């Protein structure tokens, strides 16, 4: 009898990242391939299946020893039906991803929103280990969020809970890609930070502005550039405003912050913390810890592993 395994898949708009882990949660193999979403839904399902076969082969696992597959996908989706309602990065609408993968793989598949799996990954294997509540926020190109309440992903009525990026922090502010205005994502994401810097630079010297990213702004701010610092300060303040709404609503003990923008340095964290302190209820502020994610870009795939472990083995991480 061989060992048993689970697979965790992080499906993104540009790449598919897949892990194979033992039923103890130890990662044995990983694979990354381009999504090539332009080739259509069927082709993406096939590529996911290929990565699962590839990690199994790498680890010397037999396909029949894989107990379950967890998949994190972008966009609003319903974990119960396994349907991805809308994924603009993939060009999908009402895609029956779970059924498609189960038919292709012949294995139980569980589907979740990618930010929720980031939360579950940090909870099971990272910065949130040993707790029971966790709010996860990822600040990169966009801003995503996930909630773990009493040891479980909290999805709300239809899987849409935890969309911290779409809390209004600047009423009437810049247009957000969700259609609303002044969402946290529209004023504090990496995209928003880069846009703000380009606007400022365009006024002075045209041309060079195009190459600016949030990472450029962060480096300039750390080096003492006053304009870069002001841009980062403003984004950090808005992050604190969004966190204050979450902290007042849920009174979490732990907020784990991941994503590229959160690696912008000490200034961003200090300013965000000050904003939170000034805007959250005092008791709730005192009870919350803000910490960086421990798993980096692997959080989602490790969350998918945790989801598969729960699906295949009914493991309750909160109780061991
Ligand atoms: Zn929005």
């Amino acid at each position: 009898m061989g060992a048993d395994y689970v697979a965790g898949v992080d499906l993104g708009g540009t790449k598919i990242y897949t892990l194979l882990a033992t039923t103890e949660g130890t990662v044995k193999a990983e694979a990354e391939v381009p999504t090539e979403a332009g080739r259509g839904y069927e082709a993406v399902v096939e590529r996911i299946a290929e990565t699962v076969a590839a990690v199994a082969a790498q680890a010397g696992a037999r396909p029949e020893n894989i107990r379950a597959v967890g998949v994190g996908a972008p966009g609003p989706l319903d974990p119960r039906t396994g349907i991805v309602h809308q994924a603009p990065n993939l060009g999908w609408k009402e895609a029956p991803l779970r059924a498609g993968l189960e038919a292709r793989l012949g294995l139980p598949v569980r589907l979740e929103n990618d930010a929720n799996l980031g939360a579950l990954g940090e909870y099971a294997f990272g910065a949130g280990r040993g707790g029971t509540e966790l709010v996860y926020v990822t600040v990169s190109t966009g801003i995503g969020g996930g909630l773990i309440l009493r040891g479980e992903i909290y999805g709300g009525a239809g899987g849409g809970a935890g969309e911290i990026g779409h809390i209004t922090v600047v009423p009437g502010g810049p247009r957000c890609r969700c259609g609303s205005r002044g969402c946290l994502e529209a004023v504090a994401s990496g995209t928003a930070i880069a846009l703000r810097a380009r606007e400022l630079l365009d006024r002075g010297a045209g041309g060079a502005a195009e190459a600016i990213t949030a990472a450029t702004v962060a480096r300039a701010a750390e080096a003492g550039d006053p304009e870069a610092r002001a841009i980062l300060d403003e984004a950090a303040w808005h992050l604190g405003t969004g966190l204050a709404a979450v902290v007042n609503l849920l009174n979490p003990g732990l907020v784990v912050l991941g994503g590229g923008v959160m690696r912008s340095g000490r200034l961003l964290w200090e300013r965000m913390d000050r904003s939170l302190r000034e805007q959250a209820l005092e008791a709730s502020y005192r009870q919350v810890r803000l910490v960086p994610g421990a798993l980096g870009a692997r959080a989602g795939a490790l969350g998918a592993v945790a989801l598969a472990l729960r699906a295949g083995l009914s493991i309750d991480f909160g109780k061991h």
Side-chain angles (χ1 to χ4, degrees):
M1 194 191 90
D4 282 342
Y5 298 90
V6 297
V9 180
D10 186 3
L11 168 63
T14 56
K15 58 185 197 294
I16 298 166
Y17 178 56
T18 299
L19 297 173
L20 188 83
T22 65
T23 47
E24 274 74 51
T26 308
V27 173
K28 290 293 182 187
E30 61 182 331
E32 188 179 302
V33 297
T35 308
E36 297 182 354
R39 290 169 57 205
Y41 164 76
E42 297 287 347
V44 173
V45 168
E46 190 55 36
R47 279 182 93 67
I48 294 172
E50 283 167 13
T51 65
V52 172
V55 289
Q58 263 182 58
R62 294 215 303 266
E64 61 269 30
N65 288 338
I66 300 178
R67 299 276 292 268
V69 180
V71 180
L77 58 81
D78 191 334
R80 284 164 297 193
T81 60
I83 290 172
V84 179
H85 294 310
Q86 220 180 346
N89 290 346
L90 299 165
W92 292 0
K93 263 189 179 165
E94 304 304 327
L97 183 58
R98 190 177 76 199
L101 274 172
E102 283 186 338
R104 172 63 181 75
L105 291 166
L107 290 168
V109 173
R110 291 292 174 276
L111 185 66
E112 254 297 349
N113 170 279
D114 50 8
N116 287 348
L117 287 189
L120 185 62
E122 290 289 353
Y123 173 73
F125 301 115
R129 259 172 127 159
T132 53
E133 327 291 317
L134 174 155
V135 172
Y136 177 73
V137 184
T138 170
V139 188
S140 55
T141 318
I143 296 182
L147 307 173
I148 303 290
L149 302 178
R150 295 182 178 161
E152 299 289 336
I153 291 173
Y154 178 76
E163 290 287 355
I164 292 156
H166 300 286
I167 291 175
T168 306
V169 294
V170 184
R175 182 71 76 185
C176 180
R177 70 189 164 107
C178 74
S180 185
R181 283 187 176 279
C183 294
L184 182 59
E185 177 171 299
V187 294
S189 63
T191 309
I193 290 168
L195 202 67
R196 188 86 191 88
R198 282 180 209 151
E199 280 168 9
L200 280 177
L201 206 78
D202 264 342
R203 263 185 245 147
E210 277 309 302
I212 292 183
T213 65
T216 323
V217 178
R219 276 195 301 272
E222 285 291 324
D225 180 278
E227 278 187 325
R229 214 176 146 161
I231 291 168
L232 216 58
D233 268 2
E234 199 183 314
W237 188 267
H238 292 318
L239 284 171
T241 306
L243 288 180
V246 174
V247 163
N248 287 349
L249 184 69
L250 297 171
N251 183 206
L254 183 67
V255 176
V256 179
L257 294 121
V261 172
M262 296 318 300
R263 292 191 287 275
S264 296
R266 190 177 47 83
L267 291 171
L268 179 98
W269 281 79
E270 282 174 4
R271 179 77 171 163
M272 178 180 74
D273 183 68
R274 186 166 161 218
S275 166
L276 176 63
R277 191 175 69 226
E278 289 190 14
Q279 298 182 82
L281 292 170
E282 200 187 328
S284 293
Y285 172 76
R286 270 192 275 111
Q287 288 154 0
V288 71
R289 269 188 317 128
L290 307 184
V291 301
L295 305 177
R298 287 175 115 200
L302 284 166
V305 164
L307 187 72
L309 286 172
R310 289 173 164 209
L313 308 160
S314 302
I315 289 174
D316 185 344
F317 287 101
K319 289 191 183 126
H320 68 194

